[in-house]
Every structure is written in structure tokens, then in C-alpha cells.
Amino acid sequence: MPKKRNILNFLPYLIVLIAAISLFNFGPGTVNENLSYTEMQEKISSEKIEESVLSIGGNVITVHGQYTDGEEKKTFTATVPATDQMVEELLEDLNGSNISIIDSEESNLFLDTLVSMIPFVFVMLFGVWMMNRMAGGAGSNARAFEFGTSRARLESESKVRFADVAGCDEEKQEMQEIIDYLKYPKKFQRMGARIPKGILMVGNPGTGKTLLAKAVAGEAGVPFYSISGSDFVEMFVGVGASRVRDMFKKAQQTAPCIIFIDEIDAVGRQRGAGFGGGHDEREQTLNQLLVEMDGMEENTGIVVIAATNRPDVLDPALLRAGRFDRQITVALPDRNGRKAILQVHARNKTLAADVDMDGLARRTPGFSGADLENVLNEAAILAVRENMSEITTKHIDEAIDRVMMGPAKTSRTYDEKTKKIVAYHESGHAIIGLYLDNAQIVQKVTIIPRGQAGGYNLMTPKEEKLMNTKNDLLATITSYMGGRAAEEMFFDDVTTGASNDFERATNIARDMVTLYGMSDLGPIKYDAGSENVFLGRDYNSPSNVSGQVAFEIDEEVRKIVNGCYKKAKEVIEEHKQELIRIAEALMEYETLTSVQIEQVVKGELPEAA
């Protein structure tokens, strides 16, 4: 590719060179001088003519020649009657020059004209190339007339298939109807069925919404237009609406097709929620999008697929039936889904024979498809870094830690006192996970610093649930309190290392009080004042919580957290010796897996991982 690009870069200069040569040979500077017969005889008598060409026609003889005028050479053309006597005289007079005789009837007028036009053609091509080059490099000013055109990118053939998408079987089944419609529309028309005009995919970032849309286009074999919601919005009012019209116009020409709008919340936010009134650019763009999806004119054969992780801010008119008829929630994958995703992303990687995909899926609850792909990619990078021929379980374990907490900071050293405090702190978390009912299982505990943490526990639920019970949440808060409880019990002092634990525990406790109705305040949803302001919609809205209720909420949160902290101290006191064993093993080995922790608790030496 680089060589081809270099040749293309020199192409304009080559055209200029050829044009210059052509102009020099055939251009106006080399036009023949027309001589009369008398003037030609004078040149012949003075022996100035060096070359001559006689073109003998039916009525006239055309003489082309070259003569010397001082030191300058000039060309001439003369015409004489075509008689036998004249031919003999010319041959006799020009005997001293180089004479050529041609038949004028064999000359091609079209070819001669074409040859004379060659330099002008080269000049025109060069001019067109220069204009295109200037238009492409002059920025937005040179493309002023294209300002309102659509920025949607067309992929005629998507290479992604359903086999490349895992962990969302139900979602793929829902999208299969769209594929059948795009392939066999008459089957639906005979039944009187109308395919959804729009499908809104909602889910956390990285769950595969964009990948699923590409797979639909690939399976259906139709053109796929992709655009981001932010590509519509500009500082000039009306530009976004113009781009929406242009996008649907182009899509109509290639129907059936798919239009995919990523992050549609950038343009589809609820109208009338800001400070600028209803005439701003974003609202005009949204209005045009609403009309194009379901207005006076039908957009037959166009299926709009949109993705967002903020469905709560979208305008109700956009979500109504007839526009986005169907909403598909692309949730985080479960254990089986994570295993399938890992197998998809492992197809082009060299894994060791002992790598257990099912065990890896168990260790990664809450991971999205993008997270899992990143885990395997990080593991592959680590294997390359160590010059290994395959990816081992050790590389994948380290990759999980890197994705969750960042790379290990092995250069950071602890003094003995700090190392001991961190070891007991992390052991406090581990003991809660081991001996408290409803607590999560400890998979790994380490005192190696990662990110902002001096150490961390990897804990996973015993089984994945669709919802958590009150006891589950209380056990989670208690596990967060285990680190501080161990510090206070064994060192009669506390550190700042538990700040993140307190933040997580407090958030869970506040949600239990204000959202889940799991407190003495009853099953009431309270506005705790923590919602984000959305474009001024909630800026002036009064809170529905009085000062007295806010005080009671704080009291309930404090009651829950303090109760869990007390429970943590009880569990640690009951299993004090086991905690000491884990802490001492951490100080020696720095990292313990779940199997090694069980061995240490029994008083055995941990086996090498």
C-alpha cells in the first residue's frame, strides 16, 4: 500500500510534465509559418531549407518544411497546385534538402485533431484534480454546501454475524424477526403484519448493543447506515434537521436497509426540559426525527435501530408505538452467557489446555461483553510480554485483576507495620465472606497495591440472582465493615484505608431506606436529593422530603451501617484465630486464592498456585 500511495502522489506532477512536453511540441509556439510559393522559392534559392515533406493531394500539394533564419530554425507551410510539372519542379528545387513524400488521402483528420487536443486534455485533468484536492483539504469552509448532508456511514456488507454475538440469546431471537422481514417482506404483508419501525436497545455500556445491530445487518444482507446521535447536532439551528432528512432520503434509495443511531439520547432528550425554550437546535433535530419515523409520508423498508444507556431521559413521543415500537433490554450476561462470550473471543487466541472457561465465567460476575473481551486481550498481552507460546490461567487471573483494579504496583513497598495493617484489614473482609451467611464467596485476597487500593478481596456471589434480599444487602454491608473492624480489634487504631468501603456501604444502606423500603420508615420511595439535575427539569422542582423525614432517613442509614459494623466485629471475634492465620499467610505470600485460604484456615500450608 505505501508504494501505491507514493505513485499516486507523483501522478499530478507526471501529468504536468507530459502536458508541458506536448505543448512544447504541438502548442501555439510551434505553429507553422504560411509561405507563398514565391517566398518558398526564395528560401529554396538561398539554400535555407533543410527538411521538407510533400503531401500530394488531388488538387494541391502541401509542402511542410524547416528552414534556418540566422541561428533560429523555423517551420513553414506552403501550398501549390498539384500538377505533374509542379511536382518535378519541387523535386528539382528541393533536391538539396531531406525530402519526404506522403499521400494526403491516407492522413486521418480525426486522429490529427485528437493528437492536437492531447495537451489540453492533460491540462483540464490536472485542473480538476487540483480543485478536488483543494476542496478536500480546505476544511469546513470548502464544504459549506455539504454542511446539511447526512454524516451516516454506509456499510454495504457487514461481516458480523450472529455467531459473533454471544450471551444474548433472547435478544437475538427478537431481532430475528427483523431479519426475516428484510429478507421476506411479503410473508409479513400477507398476514397483515407490520414490522416495528424502530427498535430501541437499552443496556449498560459494553453489553453489545452496537455489535448486535451490525449482526442484524450482516444476517439480513442489507445496507447498514450507522451514525451517532451527536453527529446531528451543530451550533446552527436547522442543520441537524437537514441531516435527518438527508439521511432518510438516502436510506429510501437503498431500501430495504437499516439505520443505526448510537447514543440516541444525545439528540432524543426530552423536549422542554432545558432553559433555551423549544426552538433550539437539538429540539428541531428531534422534531424532524419524529416526523421521518412516523409522519405524513411512509418510510417503507427502513428499520431504525437505536441504542442508549439512558432511556429515562428520552422524549415520550420518541418511545411511543409507531416510532420505537419495541424496546429490547440488552442485560449483562449471566454465567452461561459469559462463558459463551469468552469462547467467541478466544477463537483467535492460543489458550493453554488447563484454562477453564466455566471457572473463568464464575469469577467474573457483573462483567460485560466488552470487559470479557478486554480480559482475554490483556491476558494475551501479558503472555507476549513474557514470551510465552500460549495464554495460561495465571495470565487470565492477572488480567482480571488488571481490569478490575488496575496493574499491580510491585514497586511500591510497605514498611512492616503498614504491611501488617493491610494484611489484617483484608483478612477481616475474607473472614466475613467465609463465615457469615448470605455473604459472597472469597475467590482471592491480596495485599499487593492496585490502583488506589492497598489490597483487595475478589468476592463473588454463591449463585447469581435476579434480585437481592434484605439479608443479602446486610451481609454485603457487613463484609465492607470487616476491614475497619479488624483494624480496630487488633491494633486499637484505625486508618484511612476503609474510606471506599464506607462509601459503598453507605450507598447500599441509603438505597435500602429510600428506594427498597427495607427500613422502619416503611415501603415508601423517598427523594433523597441525590438525583442528578437533568437539563433544568429538576432544577426548580421542590424536594418531596421534609426536614424531619430527611433526619429520619439519616438515622435509619446510620442504624443499618452501625448494626452491620457490630455484626462484623462479632464474626471476627468468633473467628479470631482463623483471621490471624490468613493475615500471617498474606504477609508471607501476599496473595491467596480461595483454595489456599481454606488450607490456611485449617492450619495447613498453602499449596503453590
Side-chain angles (χ1 to χ4, degrees):
M1 283 298 292
K3 292 183 178 180
K4 293 182 178 179
R5 290 178 180 174
N6 290 336
I7 294 175
L8 292 176
N9 289 337
F10 285 108
L11 182 60
Y13 304 102
L14 182 61
I15 293 175
V16 173
L17 180 62
I18 295 175
I21 295 174
S22 301
L23 288 172
F24 179 78
N25 289 331
F26 304 103
T30 59
V31 174
N32 294 341
E33 181 180 358
N34 292 321
L35 300 180
S36 64
Y37 179 71
T38 305
E39 292 173 337
M40 183 182 67
Q41 288 287 48
E42 294 178 357
K43 304 295 182 184
I44 294 174
S45 61
S46 61
E47 298 182 354
K48 293 182 178 181
I49 296 179
E50 298 178 352
E51 296 180 1
S52 57
V53 178
L54 274 64
S55 177
I56 302 175
N59 297 319
V60 296
I61 300 174
T62 304
V63 182
H64 300 280
Q66 182 177 356
Y67 69 93
T68 304
D69 186 5
E71 297 181 355
E72 183 180 2
K73 292 185 178 181
K74 297 183 179 181
T75 58
F76 71 92
T77 301
T79 304
V80 297
T83 60
D84 294 339
Q85 181 180 0
M86 184 59 68
V87 171
E88 293 178 0
E89 291 181 2
L90 287 174
L91 291 176
E92 183 179 353
D93 294 340
L94 296 172
N95 190 26
S97 63
N98 186 12
I99 305 175
S100 300
I101 300 175
I102 61 175
D103 187 357
S104 61
E105 295 181 358
E106 293 180 359
S107 62
N108 192 325
L109 180 61
F110 174 77
L111 182 61
D112 293 340
T113 305
L114 183 63
V115 170
S116 64
M117 292 177 62
I118 288 177
F120 303 101
V121 173
F122 276 121
V123 171
M124 291 175 61
L125 291 176
F126 178 72
V128 171
W129 178 85
M130 286 296 296
M131 292 178 64
N132 292 335
R133 183 73 176 267
M134 292 175 64
S140 58
N141 291 332
R143 296 189 295 269
F145 294 104
E146 300 179 3
F147 200 63
T149 58
S150 172
R151 297 293 191 267
R153 294 168 293 277
L154 172 61
E155 297 181 19
S156 299
E157 296 183 3
S158 177
K159 298 181 180 179
V160 182
R161 299 293 185 269
F162 273 168
D164 302 317
V165 184
C168 51
D169 296 336
E170 292 79 7
E171 292 81 355
K172 289 195 291 187
Q173 184 176 0
E174 291 288 327
M175 303 299 274
Q176 184 64 44
E177 294 178 354
I178 307 300
I179 298 173
D180 292 340
Y181 169 75
L182 293 172
K183 284 186 173 181
Y184 315 108
K186 294 183 179 179
K187 180 173 66 174
F188 290 83
Q189 294 170 0
R190 284 196 301 267
M191 192 61 63
R194 177 185 62 82
I195 200 67
K197 294 183 179 180
I199 298 176
L200 180 65
M201 293 191 294
V202 180
N204 293 331
T207 51
K209 300 183 291 294
T210 304
L211 188 65
L212 186 59
K214 288 186 177 181
V216 172
E219 292 288 343
V222 298
F224 180 76
Y225 293 89
S226 62
I227 190 171
S228 172
S230 60
D231 287 336
F232 291 112
V233 183
E234 292 285 350
M235 64 180 295
F236 303 107
V237 176
V239 173
S242 175
R243 290 178 179 176
V244 171
R245 288 192 296 269
D246 186 66
M247 179 180 67
F248 277 88
K249 180 180 178 181
K250 291 179 179 178
Q252 191 68 49
Q253 296 172 354
T254 58
C257 63
I258 293 174
I259 295 177
F260 176 65
I261 306 175
D262 199 8
E263 305 297 343
I264 194 173
D265 51 277
V267 68
R269 285 177 176 264
Q270 188 171 354
R271 292 170 292 180
F275 299 104
H279 61 278
D280 66 338
E281 161 67 359
R282 182 185 55 79
E283 292 197 7
Q284 296 292 345
T285 306
L286 174 58
N287 292 336
Q288 187 63 44
L289 181 61
L290 296 176
V291 172
E292 292 292 342
M293 291 190 67
D294 187 23
M296 297 298 294
E297 297 182 2
E298 288 285 337
N299 284 311
T300 307
I302 300 177
V303 177
V304 181
I305 302 178
T308 182
N309 50 25
R310 293 292 308 278
D312 55 309
V313 303
L314 295 179
D315 193 277
L318 193 63
L319 301 178
R320 74 159 175 83
R323 291 194 175 110
F324 283 109
D325 306 272
R326 183 178 297 179
Q327 292 190 28
I328 298 177
T329 301
V330 186
L332 292 171
D334 58 9
R335 191 185 70 191
N336 293 330
R338 291 195 298 273
K339 181 179 178 181
I341 292 172
L342 288 168
Q343 291 173 342
V344 168
H345 293 299
R347 290 184 300 191
N348 63 337
K349 294 178 175 61
T350 306
L351 299 179
D354 62 341
V355 174
D356 182 13
M357 287 296 182
D358 187 65
L360 181 56
R362 290 176 181 272
R363 289 188 50 197
T364 52
F367 277 47
S368 66
D371 294 330
L372 295 172
E373 191 276 336
N374 193 26
V375 165
L376 290 183
N377 185 64
E378 288 287 343
I381 293 175
L382 291 173
V384 173
R385 184 181 299 176
E386 297 179 5
N387 294 321
M388 301 289 289
S389 59
E390 57 186 9
I391 302 171
T392 64
T393 304
K394 177 183 176 182
H395 296 137
I396 297 179
D397 289 341
E398 175 64 21
I400 293 175
D401 295 340
R402 291 171 69 91
V403 171
M404 293 180 62
M405 301 293 295
K409 298 183 179 180
T410 55
S411 60
R412 182 189 298 178
T413 58
Y414 288 129
D415 57 76
E416 286 301 318
K417 181 180 179 180
T418 304
K419 185 175 182 180
K420 186 175 182 179
I421 293 176
V422 173
Y424 275 82
H425 179 104
E426 300 301 333
S427 299
H429 291 302
I431 284 296
I432 303 298
L434 288 173
Y435 295 105
L436 182 64
D437 294 338
N438 300 308
Q440 296 182 339
I441 301 174
V442 179
Q443 297 287 352
K444 183 178 182 180
V445 58
T446 179
I447 60 173
I448 298 176
R450 288 181 182 272
Q452 299 298 322
Y456 85 102
N457 275 267
L458 176 59
M459 305 178 74
T460 60
K462 296 178 182 178
E463 57 182 13
E464 297 184 33
K465 304 176 181 179
L466 292 176
M467 61 186 70
N468 292 316
T469 65
K470 180 178 180 180
N471 289 329
D472 292 335
L473 297 176
L474 291 175
T476 301
I477 296 176
T478 303
S479 66
Y480 285 138
M481 296 293 105
R484 170 57 67 86
E487 292 177 8
E488 184 176 353
M489 183 176 298
F490 288 94
F491 298 97
D492 196 23
D493 197 1
V494 293
T495 67
T496 61
S499 60
N500 186 252
D501 298 332
F502 295 158
E503 180 182 356
R504 295 182 180 181
T506 304
N507 289 337
I508 295 176
R510 186 168 293 277
D511 288 342
M512 291 175 64
V513 176
T514 60
L515 296 179
Y516 308 141
M518 295 179 179
S519 70
D520 293 339
L521 295 183
I524 301 175
K525 195 272 183 184
Y526 294 100
D527 178 11
S530 61
E531 286 87 355
N532 294 324
V533 177
F534 164 52
L535 290 179
R537 182 184 65 189
D538 304 320
Y539 190 77
N540 293 319
S541 60
S543 174
N544 62 353
V545 176
S546 65
Q548 178 62 30
V549 173
F551 173 77
E552 293 177 0
I553 290 174
D554 292 339
E555 285 293 316
E556 287 296 321
V557 171
R558 185 180 298 111
K559 179 180 175 181
I560 292 174
V561 174
N562 288 338
C564 292
Y565 183 67
K566 181 180 179 181
K567 181 65 176 178
K569 294 179 70 174
E570 293 175 357
V571 175
I572 292 175
E573 183 66 33
E574 183 179 355
H575 301 280
K576 192 172 183 178
Q577 295 301 320
E578 289 86 346
L579 188 148
I580 294 175
R581 291 173 188 168
I582 296 175
E584 291 178 349
L586 277 176
M587 293 178 64
E588 181 177 355
Y589 299 103
E590 294 187 335
T591 300
L592 297 175
T593 63
S594 59
V595 176
Q596 292 173 329
I597 291 174
E598 293 178 1
Q599 295 171 343
V600 169
V601 168
K602 295 177 182 178
E604 303 173 358
L605 291 176
E607 297 179 359

